[in-house]
Amino acid sequence: MKSTIFTDMSANLKNYVNKWLTLLSRPFIRFTLLVFTCVIIIAVCAIVYRIDPSVVPVTPPCSLRYFTGLYCPGCGMTRAVHSVMNLRFGDAFSYNLLWPLIVMFIAVSLYMWFSFLITGKSPFIPFNRFLRKHSIAAYLFIAVLFAFWILRNIPVYPFTLLAP
């Protein structure tokens, strides 16, 4: 009895996902999402460029920091991006040492999203091919991220420099 319930749920979920993918693959919907995404990115970049997040908080505070008192790997990213946009690279590295890595991850994610919106084809195929060929890159990215996360929360002198 259980297997039929899970099979029915799985089939329903698959149908639901297929309906959404079919809807999103229509050219008009993709074009609308492309325009909407561009407007959002331009607005966010303009806000982060103009407003200094260390003076006026633009984003809500980090939930992990709020509840645990620990810094996440992304803490300080808004201030770092603001500093980079205003060509203050030293300040950017003082807010978050991994800002180039995280910005690169965001750029790859946006590339995949725009690639889907423009072509309508799955952007995961070339990405999966790259990861199959260079799987060490993903493991290295995750290892660096977790090491940075742990080290920036150690309250001893050289590691306190990693805190934002």
Side-chain angles (χ1 to χ4, degrees):
M1 178 95 181
K2 282 186 179 180
S3 64
T4 58
I5 291 172
F6 289 125
T7 306
D8 292 343
M9 286 175 53
S10 175
N12 288 338
L13 180 63
K14 188 174 182 180
N15 289 336
Y16 183 74
V17 169
N18 283 337
K19 285 179 186 177
W20 273 103
L21 289 176
T22 304
L23 175 72
L24 289 177
S25 66
R26 292 186 179 151
F28 178 75
I29 299 290
R30 286 195 339 257
F31 179 75
T32 306
L33 287 173
L34 178 68
V35 170
F36 182 71
T37 302
C38 290
V39 168
I40 293 294
I41 289 173
I42 290 169
V44 167
C45 287
I47 289 170
V48 171
Y49 175 77
R50 299 280 299 160
I51 299 173
D52 186 3
S54 55
V55 177
V56 179
V58 208
T59 59
C62 177
S63 300
L64 183 75
R65 174 92 172 123
Y66 180 77
F67 288 115
T68 65
L70 299 173
Y71 295 112
C72 73
C75 281
M77 271 305 294
T78 308
R79 290 174 285 169
V81 170
H82 171 77
S83 297
V84 167
M85 289 178 136
N86 288 290
L87 303 176
R88 295 190 319 258
F89 295 102
D91 290 346
F93 281 109
S94 71
Y95 291 130
N96 192 321
L97 190 62
L98 291 184
W99 72 263
L101 188 65
I102 296 172
V103 167
M104 199 167 46
F105 176 76
I106 292 170
V108 167
S109 300
L110 286 174
Y111 169 77
M112 290 173 65
W113 175 244
F114 280 117
S115 141
F116 166 71
L117 292 178
I118 292 170
T119 65
K121 297 178 184 174
S122 174
F124 293 108
I125 294 169
F127 186 69
N128 287 339
R129 246 185 268 132
F130 172 81
L131 284 180
R132 262 188 248 121
K133 191 174 182 181
H134 306 287
S135 61
I136 190 72
Y139 292 124
L140 187 63
F141 177 80
I142 292 170
V144 166
L145 203 63
F146 274 101
F148 180 69
W149 190 359
I150 292 167
L151 293 176
R152 82 184 319 198
N153 287 297
I154 298 175
V156 179
Y157 166 65
F159 303 115
T160 56
L161 296 175
L162 296 175

